[in-house]
């Protein structure tokens, strides 16, 4: 498979809309599509996965997904992320790529107290 057949996808989903973009490995935007809300808190896990899977399949076509970055409002706790990963496990694009969420050390790290004076 040539690099032209490989893509990175980015998903930005929330309470009002979902944007999915497919990028070539050099960063060129190949395709993009906007769809309905996909927050699992609003449409449920299955509904969210269905929205994102349909949009991703539309923008990817027959290309190979080498990385998938998924940013969804409402995926904040480790258990929510674990359940969502399990929910997309059957999607071809999720199985072929690397998958991430909005979780970062700033969001999920224990609160740090400043020294008192």
């Amino acid at each position: 498979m040539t690099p032209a057949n490989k893509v990175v996808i980015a998903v930005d989903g929330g309470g009002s809309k979902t944007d999915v973009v497919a990028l070539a490995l050099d960063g060129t935007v190949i395709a993009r599509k906007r769809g309905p809300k996909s927050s699992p808190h609003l449409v449920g896990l299955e509904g969210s996965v269905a929205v994102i899977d349909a949009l991703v399949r539309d923008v990817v076509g027959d290309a190979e997904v080498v990385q998938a970055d998924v940013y969804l409002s409402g995926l904040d706790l480790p258990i929510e992320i674990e359940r969502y990963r399990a929910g997309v496990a059957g999607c071809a694009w999720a199985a072929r790529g690397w998958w991430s969420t909005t979780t970062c050390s700033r969001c999920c790290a224990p609160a740090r107290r400043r020294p008192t004076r």
Side-chain angles (χ1 to χ4, degrees):
M1 183 161 285
T2 65
N5 293 5
K6 296 183 179 188
V7 297
V8 172
I9 59 168
V11 178
D12 175 17
S16 61
K17 54 93 181 146
T18 303
D19 288 317
V20 177
V21 177
L23 304 152
L25 298 183
D26 68 0
T28 304
V29 175
I30 296 171
R32 68 178 73 204
K33 189 158 187 178
R34 177 169 280 183
K37 63 186 167 190
S38 61
S39 170
H41 287 280
L42 300 176
V43 299
L45 176 63
E46 290 179 8
S48 177
V49 170
V51 167
I52 290 171
D53 184 45
L55 292 169
V56 168
R57 284 186 288 116
D58 282 349
V59 300
V60 168
D62 62 356
E64 177 187 359
V65 176
V66 296
Q67 180 172 323
D69 295 295
V70 179
Y71 302 94
L72 292 178
S73 67
L75 290 187
D76 302 310
L77 303 175
I79 189 67
E80 294 169 326
I81 295 163
E82 182 180 322
R83 288 177 182 154
Y84 207 87
R85 285 181 190 226
V88 297
C91 300
W93 56 268
R96 294 184 309 209
W98 175 77
W99 202 81
S100 67
T101 66
T102 57
T103 301
C104 65
S105 59
R106 288 181 298 159
C107 302
C108 296
R112 295 190 179 125
R113 292 186 174 199
R114 292 185 181 185
T116 55
R117 294 180 186 212

